[in-house]
């Protein structure tokens, strides 16, 4: 009988113990125990997906490894397609600080028609250029020529065309000209705050 009573008592203890409320281990978030992730906000890019002042390594992280390195550690990317045209993309640095970038078009696509098309595209994005000039070697104006005639004059190196835009975060200079018998189109983007540091040591 005593054994029976003892057994019933043990069962009762087990049942009571099993019905005890479970203490939650979930921590309610508070201002003290929440760690905010670091901000990943990136400033609006000045050119493509980069900003002026970036290092060579930072630009490579964005654009990938260049096809080759240019003079003074510049980065050169070939076969970049922009606005439907194949170009070379070049980044220039001074003391490992990005201050200038450019697109370069060579070959058959480097002609007056392409130049006019790209000027129009840039005008749509940045507004009217501060300058859009036809510069003749003899200083005379020749209005109302056909695009073919303008292109022939560029090939003969008697005509040089340029257009410029000045914006808050970049300066754009665009050219078409003949260099050593080859026509090139250059679209140069530059940091407007860049100042050339002239090393005067030894003078």
């Amino acid at each position: 009988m005593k054994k029976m009573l003892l057994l019933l008592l043990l069962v009762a203890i087990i049942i009571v113990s099993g019905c005890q409320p479970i203490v939650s281990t979930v921590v309610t978030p508070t201002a003290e125990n929440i760690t905010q992730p670091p901000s990943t906000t990136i400033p609006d890019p000045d050119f493509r997906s980069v900003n002026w002042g970036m290092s060579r390594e930072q630009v490579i992280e964005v654009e990938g490894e260049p096809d080759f390195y240019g003079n003074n550690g510049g980065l050169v990317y070939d076969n970049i397609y922009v606005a439907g045209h194949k170009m070379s993309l070049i980044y220039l640095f001074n003391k490992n600080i990005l201050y200038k970038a450019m697109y370069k078009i060579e070959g058959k696509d480097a002609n007056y028609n392409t130049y006019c098309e790209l000027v129009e595209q840039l005008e749509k994005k940045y507004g009217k250029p501060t300058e859009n000039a036809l510069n003749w070697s003899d200083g005379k104006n020749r209005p109302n020529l056909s695009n073919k005639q303008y292109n022939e004059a560029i090939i003969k190196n008697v005509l040089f065309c340029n257009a410029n835009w000045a914006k808050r975060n970049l300066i754009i200079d665009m050219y078409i000209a003949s260099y050593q018998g080859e026509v090139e189109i250059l679209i140069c983007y530059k940091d407007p705050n860049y100042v050339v540091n002239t090393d005067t040591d030894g003078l």
Side-chain angles (χ1 to χ4, degrees):
M1 185 68 179
K2 289 182 178 180
K3 290 182 178 181
M4 182 63 69
L5 290 173
L6 183 59
L7 182 59
L8 291 174
L9 181 60
L10 290 172
V11 171
I13 291 172
I14 293 172
I15 293 173
V16 172
S17 298
C19 293
Q20 292 298 318
I22 299 173
V23 178
S24 174
T25 58
V26 177
V27 179
T28 303
T30 64
E32 290 75 19
N33 59 34
I34 294 178
T35 301
Q36 295 291 343
S39 174
T40 56
T41 302
I42 300 174
D44 292 334
D46 296 309
F47 171 72
R48 289 175 65 90
S49 297
V50 302
N51 289 103
W52 305 126
M54 278 186 168
S55 68
R56 191 175 292 103
E57 294 74 21
Q58 288 174 315
V59 173
I60 291 175
E61 187 176 344
V62 173
E63 293 282 7
E65 285 292 331
D67 291 295
F68 59 92
Y69 290 85
N71 295 333
N72 300 319
L75 306 177
V76 181
Y77 297 85
D78 279 335
N79 302 323
I80 301 294
Y81 282 85
V82 179
H85 299 279
K86 185 172 74 172
M87 312 180 183
S88 294
L89 168 63
I90 305 165
Y91 286 106
L92 301 177
F93 301 83
N94 181 28
K95 296 182 179 179
N96 203 25
I97 294 176
L98 177 65
Y99 74 97
K100 189 175 183 180
M102 65 179 72
Y103 291 119
K104 181 178 180 181
I105 303 177
E106 300 175 292
K108 294 181 179 180
D109 206 21
N111 56 63
Y112 187 72
N113 286 335
T114 300
Y115 175 82
C116 292
E117 178 189 333
L118 293 173
V119 167
E120 184 178 345
Q121 293 295 323
L122 287 168
E123 188 171 334
K124 288 179 181 178
K125 184 173 183 178
Y126 298 106
K128 288 187 176 297
T130 53
E131 181 182 19
N132 190 5
L134 302 175
N135 307 286
W136 294 91
S137 59
D138 60 5
K140 297 180 180 179
N141 292 326
R142 293 171 175 81
N144 303 320
L145 296 182
S146 66
N147 282 7
K148 181 179 179 181
Q149 289 173 308
Y150 283 127
N151 198 62
E152 289 174 349
I154 293 169
I155 294 172
K156 293 176 181 177
N157 202 23
V158 296
L159 174 62
F160 165 80
C161 308
N162 71 290
N164 315 105
W165 290 260
K167 296 299 176 182
R168 176 187 58 81
N169 62 335
L170 80 171
I171 295 172
I172 304 172
D173 294 312
M174 184 175 179
Y175 313 92
I176 182 171
S178 179
Y179 297 97
Q180 298 179 347
E182 298 292 334
V183 177
E184 296 179 348
I185 296 175
L186 290 176
I187 311 174
C188 302
Y189 299 77
K190 184 179 177 181
D191 179 1
N193 299 311
Y194 173 73
V195 178
V196 177
N197 293 321
T198 303
D199 188 356
T200 58
D201 291 345
L203 293 178

